[in-house]
Amino acid sequence: MEKDLLKMDDLSKEDILDILNLADQLKYEQKHGIEHPHLKGKSLGMIFEKSSTRTRVSFETGMYQLGGNALFLSNRDLQIGRGEPIEDTARVLSRFIQGIMIRTFSQEEIEKLAKYSSIPIINGLTDDEHPCQVLADLMTIRENKNILEGLKIAFIGDGNNMANSLMIGCLKVGMNFSVASPKDYTSSDKYLNRAREIAEEEGVNFTVTTSPFEAAKDADVLITDVWASMGQEEEHNLRAKAFEGFQINKELMAVANKNAMVLHCLPAHRGEEITAEVLEEHADSIFDESENRLHAQKAVLVKLMK
């Protein structure tokens, strides 16, 4: 495994499966009261330029359960907020702590942070990638289906950070992947071309379409996300019109496999990308997915910081 987790493509198939296996073990131990202080005496700096519920609570709790501690650092708390270059912040923090998780806008910023840091950097979310969420998604699918390889995943919605990381991660572990987005809201060619390369290497199917029903047909798992991500709020009305018909609802579920599961990284806008009815029917899986952020991220922390 690389020193950092900046994007899903940093992980090989073997890396992903190793993380998931360790996450399963850590979850079992936590549920049975077995302590696992793998990171005793170590500190994780958590830089937040985007607000968060699941990311902050799961990383902070995870470090505590691993015997270490976490420092919450907003851009108001750091000199970054007053114009200190990211490369200087990286070199300073590298002398105080043993790892950094950052949740920010620019993928370039996190790449620069990693370049100048001597400690592991973990991507808690950027506009381009959300690898920690995808590891939790894969963990949840495997718990539910007992397998990953050969399943069909359908992502319905914006070609955003979730779509980008999902297509790379799912294809790498041998899953078939379909993505349905409106014409002007697909993932960038960089991600689509890389996904096609991986699909060819793994011998699996990768489909890009503007038809949610084509993507969802015979799917084992349906996944969606909000139509307007953080920082795109002013586009909400425009996007709501563009994404008409890209909702996970009973009609879409009818073309998926009978026992298809539904995932959503949350927060969800009921009545937009997913109906309240479908969300509540699949609430157990969706909130397992949310909980598994804790366990998957603990596995990442151990792999990178131990």
Side-chain angles (χ1 to χ4, degrees), residues 25-78:
Q25 177 188 330
L26 294 172
K27 183 174 184 177
Y28 175 87
E29 291 175 357
Q30 192 254 325
K31 297 291 186 185
H32 289 81
I34 302 170
E35 294 186 359
H36 38 241
H38 299 294
L39 300 182
K40 184 176 181 180
K42 298 195 174 186
S43 298
L44 176 75
M46 305 188 304
I47 300 175
F48 285 88
E49 295 182 349
K50 283 189 175 185
S51 59
S52 167
T53 298
R54 281 151 289 277
T55 300
R56 178 178 178 180
V57 175
S58 57
F59 270 106
E60 197 161 327
T61 302
M63 280 300 292
Y64 174 78
Q65 292 179 358
L66 291 168
N69 71 293
L71 306 170
F72 174 79
L73 305 168
S74 75
N75 57 358
R76 294 183 299 276
D77 302 317
L78 295 171

Side-chain angles (χ1 to χ4, degrees), residues 273-290:
E273 73 275 3
I274 189 169
T275 62
E277 180 183 21
V278 171
L279 189 146
E280 291 302 332
E281 280 182 10
H282 296 269
D284 287 348
S285 295
I286 289 169
F287 289 98
D288 283 347
E289 172 192 15
S290 185

Side-chain angles (χ1 to χ4, degrees), residues 107-239:
Q107 184 71 21
E108 290 73 23
E109 182 173 359
I110 199 171
E111 301 276 352
K112 185 180 284 188
L113 183 67
K115 179 179 178 180
Y116 288 94
S117 294
S118 58
I119 57 177
I121 307 299
I122 299 169
N123 183 348
L125 176 139
T126 64
D127 289 345
D128 290 353
E129 293 266 355
H130 203 352
C132 291
Q133 178 66 55
V134 170
L135 290 168
D137 291 356
L138 292 172
M139 180 180 181
T140 309
I141 294 167
R142 194 169 72 165
E143 283 179 339
N144 188 283
K145 300 292 186 182
N146 299 315
I147 194 171
L148 293 174
E149 204 164 3
L151 295 179
K152 179 182 177 181
I153 311 303
F155 181 84
I156 311 297
D158 190 21
N160 61 7
N161 46 18
M162 275 303 302
N164 294 340
S165 292
L166 267 169
M167 65 178 71
I168 300 300
C170 291
L171 292 167
K172 280 199 173 192
V173 296
M175 305 170 93
N176 302 299
F177 195 89
S178 295
V179 56
S181 305
K183 181 181 176 183
D184 296 327
Y185 294 92
T186 58
S187 294
S188 69
D189 287 343
K190 179 179 81 169
Y191 282 98
L192 296 178
N193 291 337
R194 178 63 182 135
R196 292 184 182 104
E197 288 177 5
I198 297 168
E200 187 172 349
E201 291 167 5
E202 296 295 328
V204 294
N205 296 320
F206 175 59
T207 304
V208 182
T209 179
T210 55
S211 167
F213 286 91
E214 180 186 351
K217 182 172 172 50
D218 300 325
D220 300 292
V221 186
L222 283 80
I223 306 179
T224 190
D225 191 11
V226 295
W227 291 338
S229 297
M230 207 174 297
Q232 299 171 334
E233 289 82 3
E234 73 282 355
E235 300 177 29
H236 179 270
N237 292 339
L238 177 67
R239 285 173 168 266

Side-chain angles (χ1 to χ4, degrees), residues 78-79 84-98 100 113 116-119:
L78 295 171
Q79 295 295 340
E84 181 174 46
I86 193 76
E87 51 264 44
D88 292 355
T89 298
R91 287 179 283 203
V92 169
L93 292 180
S94 292
R95 297 178 181 234
F96 295 147
I97 56 182
Q98 289 73 50
I100 297 171
L113 183 67
Y116 288 94
S117 294
S118 58
I119 57 177

